[in-house]
Amino acid sequence: MRATFLFSILFLLLLGSCSKNKDGIGELTVQMYHHVDGSILNFNAMNYNNDAGYPYSVTRLEYYLSNFEFTDLSGHTYKSSKVFYINADKDETCNFSFSDIPSGHYSKIQFLVGLDTAHNKTDFLDPTVENANMAWPDMMGGGYHFIKFEGLFNANNANNGFALHLGTNGLAVPINIEKPFTIFKDKSSTLLLNMNLNEWFRSPEIYDFLQDGSYSMDNMNAMMKLSRNGKDLFN
Amino acid sequence: MVETPIALNIPPFFPNMVIPEDNQMTAERLSLGRKLYYDPILSNNGRSCSSCHLQEMGFTSNVTSGFTVLPHINLGWNHHFLWQGGESGHLEDVMMFEVNDFFATDINKLNADETYKALFKKAYGVKEISSKNVAYALAQFFRSMISGNSKFDKYRSGEATLNISEMRGMNIFYSEKGDCFHCHGGMLFTDNDFHNTGLDATFAQGNQGRYEVTKNPNDIGLYKTPTLRNSGVRQQYMHDGRFTTLLQVIDFYNDGFHKNSPNIDPLMILPEKENGLQLTAQDKADLVAFLNTLTDTNFLSDTTLSHP
């Protein structure tokens, strides 16, 4: 049951009704969940196995989501320029809202894990402590970490660290999800997005810590592979 | 009550500082907090904040009581305080701890002092001084203790140049070669988080870092990341002061840490760095040179922060 819950992107109508849709705007709150092939994410636990065969734990998961687009059945698109910072270990950062979405029936969600070129510039985002900690050093290209995914993995009977950091223009991960949902006028609704961390390691190419690199920050091949694998994170 | 609103001088590129609505900065409150910082009236043993926090040393000192003295630098951006994060929240919260628990301030002494009574009435509009009033006034002064005018800051603003060694050190600091920036990044040179960098292989009961506060076994061995600003004028490093020079600290990160320490940070045991950072003597000297560019001599002698 839990797997069903986690695998699905659910649209929950919290305050809305089944009344006929009318023109106007409604609010959508997006709630982020994180799991590994259906097992809810617990930090610091060597509970998970990736497709390269390594048991692993997660000690840090921080990232940005941006460039949200919601497309309705008529092909009209609602776009947002907001950037959202998520720290999976801090519940207060794992939900965010859009307050002005035109009511209607939607069929498609698109967004980036990371930042586009326009946003990925040193000191461009609001000067919060969180954004400061996500900075990507100027001498490595500037801008921000799109994601920090860190933990331990077991290989050769020893625990080793991994630090999968993705940044650099062009490597943000585009996400496209086909999912019908409805926004009702003057109502608030919640959308659940489930990130499966094992997808970072899975497809189209298996990511192997010992082959591809346990840290990625100055390893363009590793970052490109992670970026390509990210497409299925929310499937 | 007299309210003369003031704005803090936030250096370029620094994050926004969040100031609680109920303790907005005024000249009267700030001045009062500064007076309290240097006044042993806070304690019952003749000591003041300034007894252990010397301005010329970046508001730290060599006094130890199990832990080294963390510097009072840029704490307005912190939300965890003390080496184990024993206090969290705003400066007002940690100052309540300082007044009620650390100093056990006898509030009657302040209420018996006509000068303080007048100053608190002016600053906070109170006839009777409370421990909260004292904590709030202290928080105002702490919030003003901003260091952001070092040679590095001037370089970042295009007002100064770094020499070759400092530049090389900066390149090591901000690259995977040294990988200092992941924990000591940003303009605050701390992530305000907790890490076990492998100082010890085991941690004795009662001295297990962040665990002593959270009782979470995953926090055994984790200590707060200190800011590196003004680290060049310190004489003790790490939570227990085991190192006395920056070079010793760099040597530790180069190849001296315990890889099997519980809850060691993943960044310390990356397979590709199995043999340490492999910094040369020149690399280490360059890193020290860069760290010394974080010394803010204006801050160390700023008369608005000194004994009134």
Side-chain angles (χ1 to χ4, degrees):
Chain A
M1 186 171 176
R2 187 177 68 185
T4 302
F5 169 78
L6 287 169
F7 277 126
S8 302
I9 295 171
L10 301 176
F11 177 72
L12 297 181
L13 190 62
L14 297 182
L15 300 174
S17 69
C18 294
S19 63
K20 187 181 174 185
N21 179 35
K22 296 175 182 176
D23 291 337
I25 59 171
E27 181 183 63
L28 179 68
T29 296
V30 177
Q31 177 73 50
M32 303 303 301
Y33 283 95
H34 307 90
H35 67 103
V36 182
D37 288 345
S39 298
I40 196 161
L41 174 61
N42 284 315
F43 282 87
N44 301 297
M46 192 67 85
N47 286 348
Y48 312 114
N49 290 279
N50 66 17
D51 284 18
Y54 301 112
Y56 71 97
S57 67
V58 180
T59 59
R60 180 182 300 275
L61 180 61
E62 300 174 80
Y63 58 94
Y64 289 113
L65 298 180
S66 66
N67 289 29
F68 273 84
E69 294 186 19
F70 304 107
T71 304
D72 67 17
L73 293 175
S74 309
H76 297 122
T77 299
Y78 167 90
K79 295 183 180 180
S80 171
S81 60
K82 287 182 178 178
V83 174
F84 303 100
Y85 163 80
I86 312 292
N87 181 339
D89 202 21
K90 292 184 178 174
D91 288 344
E92 65 272 21
T93 70
C94 290
N95 63 79
F96 50 88
S97 297
F98 303 90
S99 60
D100 58 348
I101 301 183
S103 57
H105 301 289
Y106 289 80
S107 60
K108 192 174 177 184
I109 307 164
Q110 293 174 276
F111 57 91
L112 290 178
V113 178
L115 304 169
D116 65 14
T117 304
H119 290 88
N120 190 37
K121 298 172 183 169
T122 297
D123 295 324
F124 186 85
L125 299 180
D126 290 342
T128 64
V129 171
E130 290 77 15
N131 288 338
N133 283 337
M134 292 292 277
W136 192 274
D138 283 342
M139 57 199 59
M140 296 176 81
Y144 297 88
H145 287 74
F146 299 162
I147 184 163
K148 293 182 182 177
F149 176 19
E150 299 173 9
L152 300 176
F153 70 99
N154 193 278
N156 304 321
N157 296 317
N159 282 345
N160 308 276
F162 71 85
L164 302 183
H165 292 185
L166 188 59
T168 307
N169 286 332
L171 295 184
V173 181
I175 303 293
N176 294 284
I177 302 172
E178 300 285 344
K179 177 68 182 176
F181 66 97
T182 303
I183 295 293
F184 293 94
K185 179 186 175 188
D186 298 333
K187 301 293 183 187
S188 181
S189 307
T190 298
L191 182 72
L192 307 183
L193 292 180
N194 297 310
M195 178 190 280
N196 182 359
L197 296 181
N198 258 356
E199 293 295 346
W200 288 109
F201 306 116
R202 179 164 287 155
S203 173
E205 302 165 90
I206 287 178
Y207 189 98
D208 185 315
F209 292 128
L210 294 184
Q211 300 292 324
D212 295 302
S214 65
Y215 67 97
S216 57
M217 197 161 172
D218 62 357
N219 182 340
M220 183 56 83
N221 286 336
M223 289 199 296
M224 290 173 70
K225 190 176 231 184
L226 290 167
S227 180
R228 289 193 296 270
N229 284 357
K231 65 181 176 27
D232 296 326
L233 281 169
F234 296 90
N235 284 357
Chain B
M1 187 161 82
V2 180
E3 287 185 301
T4 310
I6 54 171
L8 291 170
N9 187 19
I10 306 295
F13 311 114
F14 270 53
N16 288 335
M17 188 190 290
V18 178
I19 301 176
E21 274 301 314
D22 65 349
N23 198 22
Q24 291 295 300
M25 298 295 297
T26 72
E28 294 76 18
R29 294 171 179 178
L30 174 59
S31 173
L32 176 54
R34 178 183 174 192
K35 179 176 170 62
L36 286 165
Y37 187 89
Y38 287 95
D39 195 336
I41 197 171
L42 283 181
S43 74
N44 303 302
N45 58 9
R47 296 169 71 185
S48 65
C49 302
S50 60
S51 300
C52 297
H53 296 273
L54 311 177
Q55 183 175 9
E56 64 271 23
M57 292 182 69
F59 290 101
T60 181
S61 69
N62 292 335
V63 175
T64 56
S65 55
F67 290 110
T68 48
V69 178
L70 276 167
H72 290 164
I73 297 173
N74 299 335
L75 294 186
W77 284 278
N78 276 215
H79 48 267
H80 293 302
F81 301 91
L82 311 176
W83 278 108
Q84 298 174 332
E87 299 298 320
S88 295
H90 289 300
L91 275 170
E92 282 73 7
D93 300 305
V94 69
M95 289 303 122
M96 285 295 285
F97 160 79
E98 298 290 343
V99 172
N100 289 332
D101 299 304
F102 184 79
F103 283 125
T105 301
D106 182 354
I107 219 71
N108 293 325
K109 284 196 292 185
L110 283 160
N111 275 307
D113 186 308
E114 290 305 320
T115 302
Y116 271 116
K117 286 202 78 164
L119 290 172
F120 272 98
K121 186 176 182 185
K122 194 174 168 188
Y124 287 99
V126 293
K127 290 182 181 176
E128 199 68 17
I129 302 166
S130 69
S131 56
K132 178 181 175 182
N133 299 143
V134 178
Y136 273 45
L138 283 168
Q140 293 255 329
F141 182 59
F142 273 78
R143 209 159 262 131
S144 76
M145 300 167 86
I146 296 171
S147 179
N149 195 24
S150 65
K151 183 177 183 180
F152 170 78
D153 294 296
K154 291 171 183 160
Y155 164 78
R156 182 94 199 272
S157 295
E159 300 165 6
T161 55
L162 303 185
N163 64 37
I164 292 171
S165 177
E166 292 162 346
M167 285 293 287
R168 286 197 303 251
M170 184 171 71
N171 281 321
I172 295 169
F173 187 95
Y174 283 111
S175 69
E176 290 287 359
K177 183 172 184 178
D179 198 13
C180 313
F181 67 95
H182 275 122
C183 297
H184 292 285
M187 297 304 280
L188 302 175
F189 288 89
T190 171
D191 60 359
N192 197 27
D193 206 346
F194 301 87
H195 304 271
N196 177 9
T197 55
L199 270 175
D200 293 297
T202 58
F203 296 88
Q205 206 166 14
N207 187 22
Q208 299 183 88
R210 180 74 172 143
Y211 170 80
E212 302 296 343
V213 176
T214 66
K215 299 304 177 188
N216 180 345
N218 296 319
D219 287 337
I220 291 174
L222 277 65
Y223 290 89
K224 185 181 171 184
T225 310
T227 180
L228 295 184
R229 285 188 174 275
N230 299 300
S231 57
V233 298
R234 284 180 223 160
Q235 295 171 4
Q236 294 181 329
Y237 300 92
M238 308 305 190
H239 66 277
D240 54 5
R242 68 181 67 189
F243 303 130
T244 56
T245 68
L246 285 172
L247 193 54
Q248 289 174 1
V249 177
I250 293 167
D251 278 334
F252 162 76
Y253 282 111
N254 191 46
D255 56 11
F257 54 91
H258 296 272
K259 294 178 182 175
N260 293 318
S261 185
N263 302 313
I264 190 167
D265 197 280
L267 272 63
M268 299 296 297
I269 52 170
L270 299 168
E272 293 91 331
K273 296 180 182 178
E274 192 175 22
N275 298 316
L277 298 176
Q278 298 187 293
L279 301 176
T280 65
Q282 183 63 56
D283 291 335
K284 295 174 188 175
D286 292 339
L287 258 181
V288 171
F290 173 67
L291 291 172
N292 280 324
T293 70
L294 303 178
T295 299
D296 180 352
T297 53
N298 292 332
F299 176 77
L300 301 177
S301 58
D302 185 345
T303 54
T304 67
L305 300 176
S306 60
H307 197 306

